[in-house]
Amino acid sequence: MMDQTKRAGNGGAGRSQIGAGTSTRKKRAESDWDPAAGRLIAVEGVDGSGKSTQLHLLEQWLRHQNLKVFKTEWNSSETVKEITSRGKKKGLLTPTTFSLLHATDFADRYERNILPLLEAGYFVLADRYIFTAYARDIVRGCHPGWVRKIYSYAAKPDVTLYFRVPVDVAVSRILAGRPKLKYYEAGMDMNLSNDPYESYRIFQGRIVEQYESMVESEGLIAIDANRGIEEQQVEVRARVTKLFGEGGTGQMATGALRGYGQR
Amino acid sequence: MASDNPELEDDDQEAVRRPYSMPPVTPASLGKEGGKRKLRFYGHGMPYLKDLEVKGHLIVIEGPDASGRSTHTTTIQAKLEADGHAVLGTGLKRSELISEGIIEAKGNLGVGKRTLSLFYAADFADQLENKIIPALEAGYVVLADRYIYTLMARNNVRGIERRWSRSLFGFTPIPDLIFYLDVKPEELVHRVFQKNSILDYYESGMDIGLSDDMYKSFLIYQGKMAKEFEKMKKLFGLQFIDGNRAIEQVDADLQARIDGFLNRQR
């Protein structure tokens, strides 16, 4: 079974200097699950992979256990949002600026929500996490080492579920209604194609390549997203339950899984 | 190379021995290069900008608020233009894209240190790519009112890891000349009062709880910032200019050094 990736520590390990927003949480052995500790669960995948649906179902399930849950989404910081959209409209955003604005958004959510909530014992569900930044920024041409270092202060998730789906399947789910694609969303700044849909296809394909290259190195758990929703959710819940060690809360390890998807 | 300096943090010790992954590159070591030359970066730069060649020169004037940066930058720009150079002036927070956001964020005291530092970095990147680099390519002298050193110093004083900040700013070009207007905190505070009659919250370090008293906090904070610049002097080849002197003397000093440099480029 794939072990969980370590949490990122302070860049200067061993020093007592507290960096702003640095996680000091240590990796826990599966057997000493502390009911008071928070858990960070992230979902990744291209748009149309179904990850948000799965995360939503997971959220409902956890709430149903009366656990404290908080969900956070990519690009949701109010402070940064307005500026990002202004910049996007003007077509002014270079890869570096774009990357840094997303990093700012993430830092805001991390410092104010994610970290405090984890420390308060919440289940924090992240719809997209730092791996989205890695994938998108690197595809845009930013240096991989540079991007990773920017996010190095952030805690690594306890589990990251990567919803793996063939690019064409994901793309057709999104493009099904011939929606208007936004400039940066379609990757038009990268001159992949004059046609937004073609550009989007190529762009998403490259994102998938990045994700695939990260599965092993970052410890992502690949979930076959080409299956039915319920089937996937069974696996999602099983993966999350593993976070609670042997037995866990009893109810979570066994009872809660029973009955779901088995009608 | 300098021997181990007990004043420096471990990161900086290593950096003085072996900065980044290249041999030491201070402006002085860039050598005389008239005409087109390749732009060099502190770190990985921006890989998507291929074969960047520039004809212009990047001159940075650093220093605390009220040290006289803006005054001197204006004077120098006028003189350089009179001498026939095309000059572009830039500064932190002046990005058209982001500067409003920074002002809001600073007004919103809930914003975290790392968030604010990234905001500044994003603003800087925007100016760099949309203004500074194109101007350098076109042969302008770019006069930067502050650069990454203030941003790194601010981060350091706030407990953000040095390595993180240095890696972050790896996308920035190495300037040709870097001046630091060195003004004693006690003198600074008077100049701030002459300008504004109030102290700025962040420039007094009030967000890091140095003192309940804003005046005391200012002195402590500016003292810490000055120490940071002292550390960066060798690392980055900063030229310290005594900013305690009269405006004309400081102007003359700066102008002489800049003219000397530009003349050597011909």
Side-chain angles (χ1 to χ4, degrees):
Chain A
M1 185 60 263
M2 190 161 306
D3 200 8
Q4 304 314 316
T5 50
K6 272 206 300 275
R7 291 179 195 289
N10 187 320
R15 277 194 242 146
S16 58
Q17 171 190 57
I18 305 292
T22 303
S23 170
T24 53
R25 302 166 73 211
K26 295 195 275 287
K27 178 179 177 173
R28 266 180 299 278
E30 284 194 359
S31 55
D32 41 47
W33 181 67
D34 171 9
R39 283 290 189 276
L40 179 58
I41 298 162
V43 295
E44 289 282 5
V46 291
D47 291 325
S49 58
K51 60 177 172 49
S52 305
T53 307
Q54 292 298 319
L55 192 65
H56 173 74
L57 290 171
L58 178 65
E59 181 189 5
Q60 298 308 101
W61 181 60
L62 291 171
R63 286 192 194 280
H64 194 63
Q65 318 298 322
N66 290 321
L67 294 164
K68 297 174 293 191
V69 183
F70 178 82
K71 192 162 71 158
T72 182
E73 288 173 14
W74 199 251
N75 277 353
S76 57
S77 158
E78 287 305 319
T79 317
V80 182
K81 208 187 265 190
E82 204 212 295
I83 289 138
T84 319
S85 31
R86 208 189 306 151
K88 280 178 179 171
K89 285 196 195 103
K90 287 183 176 179
L92 283 178
L93 297 175
T94 64
T96 302
T97 310
F98 214 7
S99 169
L100 290 170
L101 283 175
H102 290 139
T104 308
D105 179 288
F106 177 82
D108 193 29
R109 287 183 295 120
Y110 188 82
E111 287 186 300
R112 295 211 265 183
N113 289 339
I114 297 171
L115 186 60
L117 286 161
L118 284 173
E119 289 175 334
Y122 275 65
F123 278 79
V124 177
L125 307 182
D127 190 342
R128 296 192 174 287
Y129 200 62
I130 61 184
F131 312 105
T132 287
Y134 295 172
R136 289 178 178 176
D137 294 350
I138 293 170
V139 165
R140 288 207 142 85
C142 294
H143 191 279
W146 178 75
V147 178
R148 284 190 159 75
K149 189 68 179 173
I150 288 176
Y151 292 92
S152 59
Y153 65 90
K156 292 278 168 72
D158 288 281
V159 66
T160 307
L161 304 172
Y162 162 52
F163 288 84
R164 176 187 271 159
V165 69
V167 175
D168 291 331
V169 174
V171 168
S172 48
R173 283 180 191 168
I174 297 292
L175 299 184
R178 298 288 294 177
K180 276 200 84 167
L181 286 174
K182 291 179 269 195
Y183 185 82
Y184 286 99
E185 189 186 5
M188 294 296 282
D189 57 309
M190 293 186 286
N191 297 315
L192 303 167
S193 168
N194 285 327
D195 172 54
Y197 294 103
E198 193 48 41
S199 176
Y200 182 77
R201 241 176 264 276
I202 300 171
F203 183 40
Q204 296 302 306
R206 294 198 185 171
I207 301 277
V208 169
E209 278 167 19
Q210 287 301 319
Y211 274 133
E212 291 298 331
S213 73
M214 273 188 246
V215 171
E216 212 174 295
S217 56
E218 299 287 348
L220 311 185
I221 295 181
I223 305 272
D224 177 0
N226 225 359
R227 297 173 292 167
I229 292 178
E230 285 171 4
E231 208 186 325
Q232 290 181 56
Q233 183 63 198
V234 168
E235 186 181 351
V236 166
R237 292 184 188 186
R239 300 282 187 186
V240 169
T241 304
K242 280 205 159 63
L243 292 180
F244 312 125
E246 306 282 346
T249 55
Q251 181 186 29
M252 294 206 70
T254 55
L257 277 177
R258 236 180 248 143
Y260 183 77
Q262 295 165 21
R263 295 185 229 285
Chain B
M1 291 253 38
S3 53
D4 279 14
N5 182 341
E7 288 285 301
L8 295 177
E9 297 271 346
D10 296 335
D11 282 344
D12 294 339
Q13 302 269 18
E14 195 197 286
V16 171
R17 281 193 294 273
R18 195 173 25 91
Y20 315 102
S21 56
M22 304 189 300
V25 186
T26 54
S29 64
L30 285 174
K32 171 184 164 170
E33 292 150 340
K36 273 195 169 180
R37 64 195 192 281
K38 226 174 147 220
L39 193 60
R40 298 177 76 178
F41 294 87
Y42 275 117
H44 299 295
M46 291 169 281
Y48 50 89
L49 295 178
K50 310 273 179 223
D51 306 319
L52 205 47
E53 284 195 328
V54 297
K55 291 183 287 191
H57 298 282
L58 178 56
I59 299 172
V60 168
I61 302 186
E62 273 282 13
D65 263 9
S67 57
R69 282 181 347 264
S70 312
T71 310
H72 296 301
T73 310
T74 309
T75 313
I76 290 166
Q77 176 160 353
K79 173 79 168 37
L80 288 175
E81 284 172 338
D83 286 344
H85 298 279
V87 183
L88 173 75
T90 71
L92 299 182
K93 267 198 291 179
R94 282 198 235 156
S95 155
E96 170 188 308
L97 175 67
I98 291 159
S99 51
E100 266 173 49
I102 292 182
I103 293 164
E104 277 152 26
K106 272 178 95 170
N108 172 0
L109 297 182
V111 170
K113 301 162 191 177
R114 192 154 333 240
T115 304
L116 197 56
S117 77
L118 284 165
F119 229 154
Y120 273 109
D123 173 88
F124 191 80
D126 183 55
Q127 287 194 68
L128 187 65
E129 287 186 272
N130 287 317
K131 288 192 186 152
I132 296 178
I133 289 178
L136 289 173
E137 284 179 290
Y140 275 66
V141 172
V142 178
L143 275 185
D145 178 342
R146 283 192 161 152
Y147 204 64
I148 61 174
Y149 317 104
T150 288
L151 299 180
M152 288 196 284
R154 282 182 186 159
N155 288 357
N156 294 347
V157 169
R158 286 171 170 81
I160 292 179
E161 312 83 8
R162 283 167 206 283
R163 274 207 187 109
W164 184 82
S165 290
R166 279 217 292 274
S167 174
L168 174 65
F169 289 110
F171 68 87
T172 62
I174 301 174
D176 292 289
L177 288 177
I178 313 163
F179 299 110
Y180 171 67
L181 291 172
D182 191 10
V183 180
K184 292 194 294 263
E186 297 77 13
E187 168 64 22
L188 261 184
V189 76
H190 292 304
R191 293 189 189 182
V192 170
F193 284 134
Q194 274 181 324
K195 264 174 87 177
N196 300 326
S197 77
I198 56 165
L199 294 175
D200 177 274
Y201 188 86
Y202 280 92
E203 296 295 331
S204 306
M206 285 298 279
D207 60 310
I208 33 180
L210 297 167
S211 169
D212 285 331
D213 179 305
M214 206 153 170
Y215 173 74
K216 288 193 185 122
S217 181
F218 179 91
L219 292 178
I220 299 170
Y221 178 74
Q222 292 298 334
K224 284 178 184 277
M225 288 291 283
K227 271 213 180 87
E228 288 298 323
F229 272 93
E230 194 62 51
K231 288 179 188 174
M232 288 194 280
K233 193 174 171 179
K234 210 170 254 163
L235 269 177
F236 297 111
L238 309 186
Q239 293 187 40
F240 272 41
I241 306 287
D242 179 0
N244 296 304
R245 298 172 292 171
I247 294 181
E248 303 76 25
Q249 286 180 287
V250 179
D251 261 333
D253 191 353
L254 285 168
Q255 199 68 57
R257 292 173 193 240
I258 292 173
D259 288 338
F261 169 78
L262 290 174
N263 290 335
R264 285 194 297 277
Q265 304 311 306
R266 298 225 175 99

